[in-house]
Amino acid sequence: MAAFLPKKNTMHFHYLIIFLASFGLCFLLCAAEFPYFKQSVKADGSLSFLVIGDWGRKGFYNQTDVANQMGEIGEKLKIDFVISTGDNFYEDGLTGVNDPAFHDSFTNIYKAPSLQKTWYNDIVEFFFVDTTPFVDDYFTNPKESTYDWKGVLPREKYLNDLLKDLDLALRRSSAKWKMVIGHHTIKSAGHHGSITELADQLVPILEEHSVDFYINGHDHCLERIGSIDSKLEFLTSGGGSKAWRGDLKGWNPVELKFYYDGQGFISVELNQKEAEFVYYDVFGHVLHKFSVSKDSGVAKQ
């Protein structure tokens, strides 16, 4: 199992941009020079992967049970990799590369043979665009949390540069599918709800460049929210361990396609023409599934 090891930090909310290219999977990691990582497709030209978030609790809160189901589904789908949507090690990340929590919450939990793949996740701060600096509350009302803003201040310049780099990368992409994967919610009916700073600054760029999906964690649930004015959909996979908050915000039923306040994960299978998403609970039961045709852009339940 391959993974990116973290530096010591408490800012572990990031997002990763991936482009599903026609010939291989092209991971675009938002750093100074946007390095690329290539992932080969299967012989039939398809890819499959799992998406899991908010999981690192040393096996507690059903983390182990979710991991076991991921192993079974991963074997069935012959997954190529796993994507984590963040909050990988509670409460404050890792203290270094020798922190035993890495084994307690990761290698000793996700040990099924099918999961011994590369995990593209957000525990290496300098690889990914950090969504934390977008959130005003972390600056004005940090409460008991401590944030390491090294490399981020002055904040306005950091965010301006980040958005310019993102816009340029998306503009240059000729990928068949475009997915932006992050930690924080842009649209959510869950506990944390929508983060307006991200909605105001990121969504116009995503829509301008025809991004298909924004996938996040942060809210400890599974959900799918569409857009009335564009094809962009917002998918939450934050049910890796602690969940069941019990609060659901009102949402336009035209947009809210699915919501589940519990543990689980998402599988994705795609090729050049179609992408299928399946939501599973902690027992491996299918909760929701849909597919999108690249030719028509129409989602099918």
Side-chain angles (χ1 to χ4, degrees):
M1 181 187 298
F4 298 118
L5 294 177
K7 299 186 299 180
K8 183 177 181 180
N9 70 89
T10 55
M11 273 195 337
H12 53 288
F13 307 131
H14 313 272
Y15 67 80
L16 163 66
I17 299 174
I18 68 172
F19 296 106
L20 305 180
S22 298
F23 300 98
L25 180 62
C26 192
F27 283 85
L28 183 58
L29 304 179
C30 290
E33 298 181 0
F34 291 88
Y36 287 81
F37 294 82
K38 294 289 187 179
Q39 172 71 49
S40 299
V41 297
K42 295 182 174 68
D44 63 357
S46 67
L47 286 166
S48 59
F49 57 96
L50 304 181
V51 184
I52 184 72
D54 302 83
W55 41 265
R57 296 185 185 274
K58 300 181 180 181
F60 295 106
Y61 297 98
N62 289 340
Q63 183 191 359
T64 300
D65 295 326
V66 173
N68 291 339
Q69 294 301 328
M70 288 175 63
E72 293 190 17
I73 300 301
E75 177 66 27
K76 178 181 178 181
L77 299 182
K78 299 187 184 305
I79 60 169
D80 298 289
F81 54 90
V82 179
I83 289 178
S84 173
T85 58
D87 270 10
N88 306 321
F89 298 95
Y90 287 96
E91 289 289 332
D92 296 313
L94 301 177
T95 59
V97 296
N98 296 316
D99 191 330
F102 184 81
H103 299 287
D104 295 340
S105 289
F106 183 55
T107 55
N108 294 341
I109 304 299
Y110 303 100
K111 55 188 179 181
S114 67
L115 302 182
Q116 308 313 301
K117 308 287 185 177
T118 297
W119 282 53
Y120 292 97
N121 57 47
D122 58 1
I123 58 177
V124 177
E125 182 182 358
F126 57 83
F127 264 2
F128 302 167
V129 175
D130 189 348
T131 56
T132 303
F134 283 93
V135 184
D136 292 338
D137 271 355
Y138 295 153
F139 291 85
T140 62
N141 188 29
K143 298 179 181 178
E144 72 279 2
S145 299
T146 301
Y147 298 95
D148 177 7
W149 297 122
K150 186 185 304 180
V152 172
L153 302 177
R155 180 190 180 201
E156 183 175 354
K157 180 181 185 304
Y158 179 88
L159 293 179
N160 285 339
D161 290 345
L162 183 157
L163 292 169
K164 288 179 182 178
D165 289 345
L166 172 59
D167 179 73
L168 179 61
L170 289 170
R171 188 179 306 277
R172 289 175 173 174
S173 173
S174 59
K176 199 74 172 181
W177 298 93
K178 297 178 184 178
M179 299 184 185
V180 174
I181 298 179
H183 177 68
H184 290 87
T185 52
I186 291 181
K187 285 187 178 184
S188 175
H191 177 77
H192 291 105
S194 302
I195 296 179
T196 56
E197 298 94 306
L198 290 173
D200 292 342
Q201 297 178 72
L202 282 183
V203 170
I205 296 175
L206 305 186
E207 291 183 340
E208 179 182 355
H209 299 295
S210 300
V211 170
D212 299 284
F213 302 98
Y214 176 81
I215 307 176
N216 60 268
H218 198 44
D219 266 339
H220 298 179
C221 62
L222 302 172
E223 62 184 317
R224 173 190 170 205
I225 296 179
S227 299
I228 295 176
D229 301 325
S230 75
K231 70 173 185 177
L232 179 62
E233 294 204 50
F234 301 86
L235 314 181
T236 296
S237 182
S241 59
K242 190 175 183 179
W244 304 109
R245 289 186 182 271
D247 49 351
L248 172 63
K249 295 177 174 61
W251 204 275
N252 184 343
V254 175
E255 287 193 337
L256 186 58
K257 310 294 185 181
F258 172 74
Y259 183 88
Y260 177 69
D261 191 15
Q263 290 105 352
F265 58 98
I266 298 174
S267 72
V268 184
E269 294 181 275
L270 57 86
N271 54 40
Q272 292 192 40
K273 294 183 177 180
E274 189 172 71
E276 180 178 75
F277 295 77
V278 182
Y279 292 67
Y280 302 90
D281 68 9
V282 66
F283 305 108
H285 299 147
V286 174
L287 301 171
H288 178 67
K289 64 187 300 184
F290 72 98
S291 61
V292 175
S293 170
K294 176 52 69 172
D295 294 333
S296 67
V298 176
K300 298 180 292 184
Q301 302 300 121

